[in-house]
């Protein structure tokens, strides 16, 4: 039996909690600043518009391609490579009085003038009002998810822990959004799905630690809350590292091999898993301690059964 | 004794996994290249057609794997794509214009598997290519039409009851009926209320005139919208069938939108033309009292309207619609004795009765056929919605010679127009115009590429995880790996079993993610067993405690993830929904395999034995 972490010696994780939580706070502030100033690079799903993906038979010079897109239909097109040097993505904003398929045909005309064998791989058009609705729904979904979790964790554990877990989740969501904002990565529907998965995953981590904290509070008669939390984190560290490791491995596989269409999804998961793992310790557990969690909070509530004070009928 | 499963639990594990494997099996057989034949016009695909096609293909030396006739659709399977193309050409040539012959991929599930409900997972458009449309029904137009119908109802009902009214017109508040005195308002209100409770009435007076304002009740508006959506879905479904696409999806989304997915279709222009065109016809009497000169400058009586004629000039028609296109059950383009194109129309029983009555009363009078079409103007409103143009034209005016029944002809069309009118009428009229608010076309090569990428990522990730678990937990790792593989097979099995579940690219990502996260349950249990062993417990006790203590943690952790997946499913559309479905299934099956499945193996191998050490 070999082990990544030894359970015999408790590691004092919380010793570094104060400075790390300040870094965490700075990350959140930085994310907010970036979201406020740079905003999010919303994808087609949310903004509406037209996207055309074309595969050229040989690598193309994007500048030459751009200079050829001069017609009224192709005005305002964003041209970029997509995955490889032969795959090119065109993004066109919604334009009043111009039909989306005319925009797409305009693009293909220019493309075919450069390369007869180019294939149109994908065309997507989304109306702006659909996108707007989707953005509202997506934001709502994240909020509803957080509220449901708050209720469930309060019910299963205790409100101080619930507050800690929701703070950790909000932290993860904001920092992940911040990364997308700072790097100006495209935020599309799959990224939203990734974000919600991050919520689920990060909660997984938090709950495992909480479960152990609750158990240890009941089992260990001595020890300060800090000591008990430290002990709990140490005991679950092995599991955390292994599970995070295996999940990261497959997400990296998705990132590298999954293809360009789920790149955003994999990116969101990559940073979400990373942030979510440390936030279960340095945000969720630390906040619960700061909120004054102690042994009495963990005692199971005695449920008075009806007739419990009556003498039993049968000996 | 510790760590012994009762027989029924072991049996349950075996049965559940066996069922999962069984239903996952159809996915192994892949797909056959096939040619699909659907009848479009009055023709029908029958056993005779089938044997004709077999003969034609045999004469050309194309080997048929299997040919099936089902629901008026013929599916001919061949061995490879080359043969498929040859077969398609040969069949199209042999059958002529009345059939749609399309290339298709058919699941190659053996009959015995299919007989017990086994079918492979359905692939989303992002994996097999095709077009996706999101269409929005113009509810304003549906309500306006309904209001017009109500006005016509009011006219005839009040007239029949001999309640004198001074005029009916539409106002922003509703339909305003003008009366000469207050008593009649009351009489009319009481009478109209007995006829239907679709409307809310309010009365009032202004400048010595008395009014009754009828507005649609909220419940009625809701009903009208619901019916408009349902009817449009039916109509679009009919039109999709005319396109001859295999496994199309037409379903509602929310209160006003319809999703249409056409796998394999690349010719979007043609698909849009058929799906989006809103053509219908109305039969109206010509207002023969109208003064031609006055009409030319647009002055006609309140009960009439001026419309352009297709052959030039104008026609003055009564506002009252005698019959709408809704009652048309069949329409074929034909030629009259002078070889002029015409459309032969069949009506349903109700339409036949109405038509028979109105033509009986109007013999010798001119009747007009009004053609109404909504077209995507190609322009957009500032809010991004598509501007629709309404085209109304009188295509023919004919004198009613005799009482007409359920079958008659419309003349005055060009040959091509007759054909497309017949097609549109046969597919049913759209009750309200629809606009395409979202369109996605995925090329077939991209779809195949997406599958390949997803599978590659899965194999890559899976391999590393399997090796790691085996090295780190040894014998127990091997058991966890078995559980992981069983879990994957079960996810595939359940996905294949659920009729509505569709595998999408994010769905594959969900499966890949399941691989990473599913080991969590076993890691939690095994770490716990190790702890118990280090704490000095006996092997049997350690196993027992490990499973018992980890259970609540696993349950809590998975329930919360399941909740987020459920929320994703509720708000997500298309591909995201696909991801949520796989994630939910993955959570459920991984809990089963990780907790119950591994336990039964562990128990069978080591349960109840005196052991000093454990391979963990």
């Amino acid at each position: 039996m070999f082990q990544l972490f030894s359970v015999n010696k408790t590691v004092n994780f919380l010793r570094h909690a104060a400075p790390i939580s300040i870094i965490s706070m700075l990350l959140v502030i930085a994310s907010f600043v970036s979201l406020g100033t740079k905003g999010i690079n919303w994808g087609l799903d949310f903004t509406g518009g037209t996207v055309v993906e074309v595969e050229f038979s040989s690598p193309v010079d994007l500048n030459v391609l751009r200079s050829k897109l001069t017609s009224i239909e192709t005005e305002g097109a964003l041209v970029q490579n997509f995955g490889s040097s032969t795959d090119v993505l065109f993004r066109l904003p919604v334009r009043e009085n111009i039909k989306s398929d005319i925009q797409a045909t305009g693009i293909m005309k220019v493309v075919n003038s450069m390369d007869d064998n180019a294939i149109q791989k994908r065309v997507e058009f989304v109306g702006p009002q659909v996108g707007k609705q989707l953005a509202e729904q997506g934001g709502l979904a994240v909020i509803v998810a957080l509220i449901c979790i708050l209720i469930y964790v309060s019910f299963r554990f205790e409100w101080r822990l619930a507050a800690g877990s929701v703070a950790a989740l909000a932290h993860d969501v904001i920092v992940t959004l911040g990364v997308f904002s700072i790097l100006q990565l495209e935020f599309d529907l799959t990224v939203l799905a990734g974000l919600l998965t991050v919520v689920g995953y990060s909660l997984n981590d938090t709950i495992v630690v909480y479960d152990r904290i609750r158990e240890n509070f009941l089992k260990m008669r001595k020890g300060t809350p800090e000591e008990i939390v430290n002990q709990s984190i140490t005991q679950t560290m092995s599991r955390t590292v292994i599970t995070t490791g295996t999940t990261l491995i497959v997400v990296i596989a998705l990132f590298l091999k999954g293809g360009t269409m789920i790149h955003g999804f994999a990116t969101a998961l990559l940073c979400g898993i990373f942030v979510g793992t440390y936030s279960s310790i340095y945000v969720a557990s630390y906040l619960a301690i700061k909120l004054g969690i102690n042994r009495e909070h963990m005692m199971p509530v005695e449920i008075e059964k009806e007739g419990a004070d009556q003498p039993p009928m049968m000996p | 004794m510790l760590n012994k499963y009762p027989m029924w639990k072991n049996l349950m594990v075996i049965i559940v996994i066996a069922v999962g494997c069984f239903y996952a099996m159809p996915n192994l057989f892949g797909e056959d290249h096939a040619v699909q034949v659907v009848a479009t016009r009055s023709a029908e695909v029958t056993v005779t057609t089938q044997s004709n096609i077999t003969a034609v293909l045999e004469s050309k030396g194309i080997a048929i794997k299997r040919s099936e006739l089902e629901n008026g659709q013929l599916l001919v399977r061949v061995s490879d794509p080359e043969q498929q193309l040859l077969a398609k050409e040969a069949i199209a040539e042999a059958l002529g214009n009345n059939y749609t012959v399309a290339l298709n991929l058919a699941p190659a599930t053996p009959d015995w598997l299919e007989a017990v409900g086994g079918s492979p997972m359905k692939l989303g458009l992002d994996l097999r290519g095709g077009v996706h449309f999101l269409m929005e029904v113009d509810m304003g137009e549906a309500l306006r039409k309904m209001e017009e119908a109500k006005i016509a109802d009011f006219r005839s009902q009040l007239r029949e009851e001999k309640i004198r009214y001074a005029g009916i017109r539409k106002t922003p508040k509703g339909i305003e009926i003008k009366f000469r005195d207050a008593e009649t308002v009351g009489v009319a209100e009481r009478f109209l209320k007995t006829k239907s409770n679709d409307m809310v009435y309010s009365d009032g007076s202004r400048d010595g005139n008395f009014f009754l304002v009828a507005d649609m009740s909220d419940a009625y508006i809701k009903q009208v919208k619901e019916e408009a959506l349902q009817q449009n879905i039916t109509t679009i479904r009919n039109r999709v069938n005319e396109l001859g696409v295999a496994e199309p999806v037409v379903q509602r989304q929310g209160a006003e939108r319809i999703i249409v997915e056409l796998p394999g279709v690349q010719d979007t222009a043609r698909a849009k033309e058929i799906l989006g065109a809103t053509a219908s016809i109305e039969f109206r009497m010509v207002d023969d009292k109208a003064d031609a000169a006055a009409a030319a400058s647009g002055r006609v009586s309140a009960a009439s309207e001026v419309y352009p004629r297709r052959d030039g000039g104008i026609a003055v028609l009564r506002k009252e619609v005698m019959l709408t296109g809704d009652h048309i059950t069949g329409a074929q383009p034909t030629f009259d004795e002078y070889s002029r194109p015409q459309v032969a129309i069949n009506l349903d029983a109700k339409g036949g009765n109405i038509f028979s009555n109105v033509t009986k009363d109007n013999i010798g009078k001119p009747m007009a056929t009004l053609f109404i079409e909504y077209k995507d103007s190609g322009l957009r409103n500032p809010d991004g919605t598509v501007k629709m143009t309404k085209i109304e034209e009188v295509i023919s005016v004919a004198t009613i010679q005799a009482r007409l029944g359920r079958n008659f002809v419309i003349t005055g069309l060009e040959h091509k127009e007759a054909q497309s009118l017949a097609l549109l009428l046969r597919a049913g009229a759209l009750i309200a115009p629809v606009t395409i608010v979202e369109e996605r076309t995925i090329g077939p090569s991209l779809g195949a590429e997406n599958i390949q990428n997803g599978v590659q990522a899965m194999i890559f990730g899976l391999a590393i995880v399997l090796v790691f678990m085996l090295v780190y937990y040894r014998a127990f790792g091997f058991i966890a790996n078995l559980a992981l593989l069983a879990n994957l097979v079960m996810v595939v099995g359940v996905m294949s079993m659920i009729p509505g579940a569709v595998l999408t690219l994010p769905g594959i990502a969900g499966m890949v993610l399941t691989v990473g996260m599913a080991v969590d349950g076993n890691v939690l249990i095994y770490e716990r067993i190790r702890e118990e062993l280090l704490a000095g417990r006996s092997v049997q006790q350690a196993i027992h405690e490990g499973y018992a203590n980890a259970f609540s943690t696993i349950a809590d952790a998975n329930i919360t993830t399941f909740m987020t997946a459920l929320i994703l499913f509720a708000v997500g559309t298309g591909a995201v929904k696909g991801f949520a479905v796989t994630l939910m299934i993955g959570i459920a099956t991984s809990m089963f395999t990780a907790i119950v499945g591994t336990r039964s193996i562990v128990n069978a191998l080591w349960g109840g034995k005196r052991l000093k050490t454990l391979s963990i």
Side-chain angles (χ1 to χ4, degrees):
Chain A
M1 177 160 73
F2 75 90
Q3 253 186 305
L4 288 170
F5 283 84
S6 161
V7 220
N8 297 326
K9 212 167 69 196
T10 304
V11 184
N12 191 354
F13 284 98
L14 291 176
R15 195 175 55 191
H16 312 290
I20 291 182
S21 61
I22 288 172
I23 295 174
S24 235
M25 226 115 82
L26 288 177
L27 273 180
V28 171
I29 292 169
S31 300
F32 270 124
V33 169
S34 176
L35 287 171
T37 52
K38 282 176 136 176
I40 284 180
N41 177 13
W42 296 105
L44 174 80
D45 297 320
F46 296 105
T47 57
T50 307
V51 158
V52 185
E53 192 188 329
V54 177
E55 187 184 340
F56 285 83
S57 56
S58 59
V60 273
D61 186 342
L62 292 190
N63 288 322
V64 177
L65 189 56
R66 279 191 198 106
S67 67
K68 290 202 173 187
L69 294 174
T70 46
S71 73
I72 182 89
E73 293 89 24
T74 58
E75 201 177 77
L78 208 86
V79 187
Q80 66 198 72
N81 275 116
F82 191 66
S84 73
S85 58
T86 50
D87 283 325
V88 178
L89 192 78
F90 300 86
R91 266 187 74 167
L92 298 127
V94 174
R95 291 267 309 277
E96 212 176 307
N97 298 339
I98 292 186
K99 255 171 122 169
S100 64
D101 40 1
I102 292 178
Q103 286 181 314
T105 359
I107 294 280
M108 283 317 287
K109 237 184 251 162
V110 175
V111 165
N112 285 331
S113 73
M114 290 176 72
D115 182 349
D116 272 339
N117 298 321
I119 320 165
Q120 177 178 311
K121 285 175 92 178
R122 166 166 75 112
V123 182
E124 297 187 3
F125 146 69
V126 179
Q129 76 276 40
V130 183
K132 211 174 125 202
Q133 215 175 321
L134 210 59
E136 283 161 9
Q137 273 180 351
L140 203 67
V142 175
I143 292 166
V144 169
L146 291 179
I147 292 173
C148 285
I149 285 158
L150 185 69
I151 294 169
Y152 180 79
V153 180
S154 312
F155 174 73
R156 282 288 290 151
F157 295 89
E158 204 266 337
W159 73 264
R160 287 172 187 82
L161 291 177
S165 70
V166 170
L169 293 184
H171 167 267
D172 302 343
V173 170
I174 291 164
V175 173
T176 310
L177 278 177
V179 170
F180 272 83
S181 166
I182 291 166
L183 300 178
Q184 284 292 299
L185 302 173
E186 193 177 311
F187 192 95
D188 60 17
L189 255 191
T190 64
V191 178
L192 179 69
L195 208 60
L196 271 160
T197 315
V198 165
V199 170
Y201 182 83
S202 146
L203 191 67
N204 237 355
D205 254 12
T206 310
I207 297 248
V208 169
V209 176
Y210 278 7
D211 234 40
R212 198 47 88 89
I213 291 177
R214 179 171 58 184
E215 192 186 319
N216 284 339
F217 263 120
L218 297 177
K219 211 159 65 182
M220 295 159 60
R221 291 283 145 211
K222 275 182 279 179
T224 62
E226 278 86 358
E227 279 165 12
I228 289 174
V229 169
N230 267 332
Q231 170 98 22
S232 309
I233 295 171
T234 308
Q235 284 170 343
T236 50
M237 192 35 81
S238 218
R239 171 265 161 195
T240 305
V241 170
I242 293 168
T243 303
T244 303
T246 54
T247 313
L248 272 180
I249 286 169
V250 294
V251 173
I252 290 170
L254 266 185
F255 184 82
L256 296 177
K257 305 218 168 245
T260 38
M261 274 174 87
I262 44 175
H263 225 82
F265 175 81
T267 313
L269 276 181
L270 263 185
C271 60
I273 289 170
F274 183 73
V275 181
T277 305
Y278 90 76
S279 78
S280 63
I281 302 169
Y282 290 108
V283 179
S285 307
Y286 188 57
L287 187 69
I289 285 182
K290 285 282 145 194
L291 288 172
I293 194 89
N294 64 43
R295 186 166 290 114
E296 280 84 68
H297 299 142
M298 296 298 170
M299 289 299 165
V301 184
E302 292 277 339
I303 299 160
E304 292 235 346
K305 276 196 204 137
E306 201 179 334
D309 49 346
Q310 304 285 320
M313 278 162 72
M314 303 275 278
Chain B
M1 206 190 297
L2 272 180
N3 303 330
K4 270 291 178 192
Y5 254 1
M7 186 54 105
W8 70 265
K9 263 198 177 173
N10 286 325
L11 271 179
M12 180 184 76
V13 172
I14 292 169
I15 289 170
V16 168
I17 291 175
V19 169
C21 289
F22 185 80
Y23 281 98
M25 233 175 358
N27 296 291
L28 292 176
F29 293 96
E31 283 173 320
D32 278 339
H33 295 273
V35 178
Q36 179 190 272
V37 183
V38 193
T40 48
R41 283 158 231 265
S42 45
E44 212 182 326
V45 180
T46 58
V47 186
T48 331
T49 330
Q50 189 177 12
S51 53
N52 284 345
I53 288 172
T54 314
V56 168
L57 292 182
E58 264 170 18
S59 71
K60 300 233 170 190
I62 300 167
I64 301 174
K65 266 177 121 177
R66 204 162 78 185
S67 91
E68 300 142 79
L69 184 64
E70 215 174 287
N71 305 326
Q73 269 189 20
L74 183 68
L75 205 62
V76 183
R77 294 164 189 260
V78 291
S79 54
D80 59 65
E82 249 170 72
Q83 299 254 300
Q84 186 189 24
L85 280 175
L86 290 174
K88 187 201 161 188
E89 274 163 30
I91 295 172
E93 196 185 326
L95 290 181
N97 271 338
N98 288 350
Y99 298 85
T100 306
V101 182
L103 297 177
N104 196 351
L105 284 173
T109 315
D111 292 335
W112 59 272
L113 247 179
E114 220 168 306
V116 287
S119 60
M121 283 185 282
K122 281 153 256 357
L123 298 184
L125 285 186
D126 51 353
L127 297 183
R128 61 175 162 175
V131 214
H132 160 107
F133 293 114
L134 180 64
M135 310 177 113
E136 194 166 76
V137 181
D138 183 350
M139 288 300 175
E141 183 61 23
L143 290 173
R144 199 189 60 73
K145 267 190 168 175
M146 210 36 84
E147 216 168 29
E148 266 174 16
K150 277 284 169 195
I151 292 179
D153 279 355
F154 285 155
R155 275 209 186 93
S156 60
Q157 283 165 355
L158 291 174
R159 203 181 299 139
E160 264 172 43
E161 195 66 15
K162 302 217 164 54
I163 299 173
R164 289 175 59 85
Y165 61 93
I168 299 185
R169 68 188 184 104
K170 217 168 70 182
T171 68
K173 278 191 208 137
I175 302 165
E176 193 180 83
I177 314 172
K178 199 157 89 176
F179 296 94
R180 303 218 190 281
D181 53 74
E183 289 99 278
T184 329
V185 173
V187 173
E189 186 175 349
R190 275 192 297 281
F191 166 69
L192 290 176
K193 272 185 179 165
T194 62
K195 283 288 179 185
S196 83
N197 48 11
D198 296 338
M199 312 292 278
V200 212
Y201 298 94
S202 58
D203 42 28
S205 64
R206 195 170 61 229
D207 313 327
N209 283 316
F210 299 91
F211 299 97
L212 182 62
V213 178
D215 197 12
M216 293 190 197
S217 70
D218 290 342
Y220 186 58
I221 289 177
K222 218 177 141 195
Q223 187 198 333
V224 168
K225 286 185 174 177
E226 183 66 28
E227 278 168 9
L229 189 71
Q230 285 307 335
Q231 211 218 303
N232 275 343
I233 287 178
T234 315
T235 305
I236 287 177
R237 205 165 270 150
N238 287 336
R239 291 185 180 175
V240 167
N241 289 341
E242 296 268 350
L243 279 170
V245 180
E247 287 180 53
V249 174
V250 180
Q251 59 185 187
R252 71 180 291 173
Q253 184 186 300
E256 302 187 348
R257 292 188 181 148
I258 302 167
I259 291 175
V260 179
E261 291 194 337
L262 308 173
V265 169
Q266 296 298 321
D267 184 1
T268 53
R270 168 80 182 141
K272 269 162 128 174
E273 199 181 280
I274 298 294
L275 293 178
T278 321
S280 70
I281 51 172
E282 283 175 3
F283 298 103
R284 300 198 193 184
M285 295 310 297
V286 174
D287 184 357
D288 43 11
K289 293 189 194 75
D291 174 49
S297 57
R299 279 177 290 124
V300 286
S301 79
S304 300
E305 283 168 299
V306 183
Y307 288 103
R309 287 180 67 128
R310 173 160 292 177
D311 51 13
I314 52 159
V316 184
L317 307 187
R318 313 264 317 161
K319 274 186 179 167
E320 204 175 326
V321 178
M322 291 158 50
L323 190 74
T324 62
D326 305 353
H327 294 289
I328 293 171
T329 55
Q332 293 83 37
T334 54
F335 295 95
D336 66 5
E337 63 261 42
Y338 306 109
S339 298
R340 285 180 307 206
Q342 58 183 24
V343 179
I345 294 199
N346 318 98
L347 299 176
D348 61 9
K350 195 180 165 201
N353 280 337
I354 299 173
F355 209 57
S356 152
N357 279 333
V358 288
T359 49
K360 181 187 71 182
D361 296 342
N362 291 298
I363 290 177
K365 290 182 188 165
M367 182 184 73
T369 309
L370 183 66
F371 179 79
I372 305 159
E373 191 177 16
Y374 289 91
K375 267 192 174 163
D376 187 337
S377 63
L379 305 180
R380 273 171 211 292
N381 294 319
D383 64 347
T385 51
V386 176
K387 273 184 196 158
M388 302 288 278
T389 30
K390 186 177 184 182
I391 299 163
E392 286 175 305
E393 272 180 335
V394 174
I395 52 174
S396 79
V397 173
T399 307
I400 300 171
Q401 305 287 354
R403 183 174 179 170
L404 294 172
R406 287 175 57 183
N407 307 308
F408 59 97
V409 294
I410 301 176
T411 53
L413 296 149
E414 307 254 333
H415 176 58
K416 261 196 102 172
E417 282 171 344
Q419 276 188 333
S420 83
L421 179 65
L423 175 70
L424 288 167
L425 291 178
R426 196 169 50 235
L430 290 173
I431 203 161
V434 291
T435 47
I436 293 171
V437 289
E438 192 183 290
E439 180 196 327
R440 289 163 193 266
T441 313
I442 307 284
S445 64
L446 184 59
E449 208 176 284
N450 283 340
I451 295 185
Q452 202 193 341
N453 286 336
V455 170
Q456 243 180 31
M458 167 115 62
I459 291 171
F460 186 74
L462 186 67
I464 296 183
V465 171
L466 290 179
V467 168
F468 173 80
M469 290 296 282
L470 194 62
V471 170
Y472 197 71
Y473 291 115
R474 293 180 290 176
F476 274 75
F478 182 73
I479 296 170
N481 285 346
L482 287 182
L484 188 57
L485 293 174
N487 178 42
L488 264 186
V489 173
M490 278 173 70
V491 172
V492 173
V494 175
M495 287 285 288
S496 312
M497 252 189 275
I498 300 176
V502 177
L503 185 70
T504 59
L505 182 62
I508 294 185
M511 278 197 194
V512 177
L513 198 62
T514 307
V515 169
M517 290 172 69
V519 295
D520 186 47
N522 282 120
V523 171
L524 277 165
I525 295 168
Y526 295 173
E527 285 302 309
R528 210 52 199 242
I529 295 179
R530 284 181 165 193
E531 268 178 57
E532 301 293 337
L533 285 174
L534 283 173
R537 289 186 199 258
S538 76
V539 166
Q540 294 303 337
Q541 253 175 340
I543 293 176
H544 182 77
E545 291 288 313
Y547 273 93
N549 285 328
F551 178 77
S552 83
T553 314
I554 298 173
D556 273 329
N558 280 310
I559 285 170
T560 44
T561 314
F562 195 85
M563 277 195 320
T564 49
L566 205 63
I567 292 164
L568 254 186
F569 182 76
V571 298
T573 53
V576 174
K577 247 195 169 85
F579 169 71
V581 170
T582 26
L583 196 59
M584 284 193 279
I585 296 172
I587 291 167
T589 54
S590 76
M591 272 184 80
F592 178 79
T593 52
I595 302 172
V596 187
T598 60
R599 185 74 188 272
S600 81
I601 301 177
V602 169
N603 283 354
L605 288 178
W606 297 296
K609 289 185 185 143
R610 287 188 168 274
L611 296 171
K612 285 238 160 58
T613 53
L614 211 52
S615 174
I616 189 166

